[in-house]
Amino acid sequence: MGRGDLTNAEWDRLESFLPRGGARGGRWSDHRRVINGVLYRVRTGVQWRDLPERFGPWETVYKRHRRWSADGTWAMLLSRVQAAEDAAGRIDWDVSVDSTAVRAHQHAAGARKTSPRGSSKGGRPGDEPGRSGAWETGRPAGGGGQIGECLGRSRGGFTTKIHLAADGRCRPLALLLTPGHYGDGPQLERVLEQVSVPRIGVGRSRTRPDHVLADKAYTARRNRRYLRRRGIPHTIPERLDQKKHRRNRGSRGGRPTCFDSERYKNRNTVERAINRLKGFRAVATRYEKRAYIYLGTVTLAALTIWLRT
């Protein structure tokens, strides 16, 4: 076993959720070796063609990563691991929200806006995560173009932004990609809508945190109304200009927002979760042209963090 490969305990947690091998001429054989190859690439950021021979043909490793990014297999594995952790009571539901900008490599530019005619990459409707048919799974709808592939120009240059919600143990609960110049505040609702941890057995998925912490970028009234409507207590500081405007309006400005400075100190959990994600070099720099493949890369990094925490 090489450094960074799945341990026996980690493999035992994933094996039962993976597609059965041996069907269709053995196309799904040896999942563990292929996953270790994807993990090696995510950890080191090497080009796919430079993968060590012990992982098998690089085309096999890349194509399976692309397929599982498109059909939601990586996201399914992450949700299953989160469900097991929640059933064991090991999720701290004091959730922190933040974002980080990721510099996009020059190789990330130039994705086609539409798939070429006659391409064999179109998936059939009804494909299940990890259990698609013989055809290649196509990219999800909505891609194409710089904005569609979550690429934009910001102060950091050519960037993609990762928005995430992290639990109290510095593990990503939800992930969202936007172009690098998009603001943080308008994405709060979208990020929290991604939080969905299934129950083992009977019951709906858990979607509501016990508490939400965020910085001043999320202090908009719309975000506070959304959190109150869902009954989620929150700790978000108020900007100085908002305080001044409220005071100038007198009684019409409303009451000051509640702010617990001691509890706000726990917001560092999302910063530490970002640091852990960026420990994977293929996450810290985006090389993929397609947003769904890069999201699969980030999801696999988050899955690894959950398995090893």
Side-chain angles (χ1 to χ4, degrees):
M1 186 178 71
R3 187 171 75 91
D5 289 355
L6 292 173
T7 64
N8 291 334
E10 293 165 358
W11 173 246
D12 290 341
R13 296 180 67 182
L14 296 179
E15 185 177 12
S16 62
F17 304 132
L18 293 170
R20 299 289 182 183
R24 299 184 182 274
R27 69 176 278 113
W28 292 122
S29 62
D30 206 357
H31 282 311
R32 186 171 184 176
R33 183 178 68 171
V34 174
I35 292 176
N36 284 334
V38 180
L39 282 174
Y40 181 89
R41 190 264 173 180
V42 172
R43 180 171 58 85
T44 62
V46 300
Q47 295 187 9
W48 290 103
R49 293 174 182 270
D50 295 332
L51 283 176
E53 294 182 358
R54 65 187 177 93
F55 299 120
W58 70 267
E59 297 96 333
T60 300
V61 182
Y62 166 70
K63 288 180 180 179
R64 198 166 301 181
H65 175 55
R66 184 185 68 186
R67 170 186 284 272
W68 285 2
S69 298
D71 67 11
T73 299
W74 295 130
M76 178 269 294
L77 292 175
L78 178 59
S79 67
R80 295 292 180 87
V81 172
Q82 289 175 344
E85 291 290 298
D86 188 43
R90 292 194 291 264
I91 294 184
D92 184 346
W93 283 95
D94 276 5
V95 173
S96 301
V97 180
D98 205 352
S99 72
T100 181
V102 175
R103 187 68 182 265
H105 194 270
Q106 59 183 356
H107 293 166
R112 292 181 177 179
K113 293 186 178 181
T114 57
S115 300
R117 293 184 179 180
S119 172
S120 62
K121 297 181 181 179
R124 293 181 294 183
D127 284 352
E128 298 181 8
R131 294 167 172 78
S132 303
W135 293 3
E136 292 291 337
T137 302
R139 61 181 175 86
Q146 198 163 296
I147 299 298
E149 300 299 344
C150 297
L151 293 166
R153 298 284 178 179
S154 65
R155 291 183 180 181
F158 195 43
T159 53
T160 292
K161 188 171 283 189
I162 304 174
H163 304 262
L164 71 155
D167 78 334
R169 298 183 63 187
C170 309
R171 299 174 298 185
L173 276 171
L175 298 163
L176 177 70
L177 298 185
T178 64
H181 60 279
Y182 277 31
D184 292 354
Q187 310 306 323
L188 176 68
E189 184 173 345
R190 293 182 61 196
V191 172
L192 292 181
E193 293 294 335
Q194 297 292 324
V195 176
S196 180
V197 177
R199 308 278 189 179
I200 294 181
V202 180
R204 295 180 297 176
S205 299
R206 175 159 184 178
T207 60
R208 188 168 62 180
D210 291 335
H211 200 92
V212 167
L213 300 99
D215 61 18
K216 292 182 180 180
Y218 300 90
T219 190
R221 292 184 178 180
R222 176 179 178 179
N223 290 336
R224 295 183 188 274
R225 285 196 299 266
Y226 167 75
L227 292 170
R228 286 195 296 267
R229 186 170 66 249
R230 292 191 59 189
I232 302 175
H234 54 278
T235 300
I236 304 176
E238 194 177 19
R239 292 200 310 262
L240 292 178
D241 61 331
Q242 289 182 325
K243 291 182 180 179
K244 184 178 179 181
H245 181 65
R246 175 172 47 77
R247 290 168 182 167
N248 290 339
R249 296 189 65 189
S251 61
R252 294 179 301 169
R255 295 177 296 177
T257 58
C258 297
F259 179 71
D260 187 345
S261 59
E262 286 299 317
R263 193 161 197 169
Y264 184 69
K265 294 178 181 178
N266 296 328
R267 198 193 65 84
N268 68 82
T269 55
V270 68
E271 305 287 354
R272 290 152 61 191
I274 289 171
N275 288 339
R276 298 176 75 176
L277 278 176
K278 286 195 168 181
F280 297 86
R281 296 194 173 190
V283 175
T285 302
R286 174 178 170 175
Y287 300 100
E288 290 84 356
K289 295 180 185 295
R290 296 297 186 188
Y292 76 91
I293 301 180
Y294 181 63
L295 181 59
T297 299
V298 181
T299 303
L300 178 56
L303 172 62
T304 306
I305 291 172
W306 279 86
L307 289 173
R308 296 175 180 175
T309 301

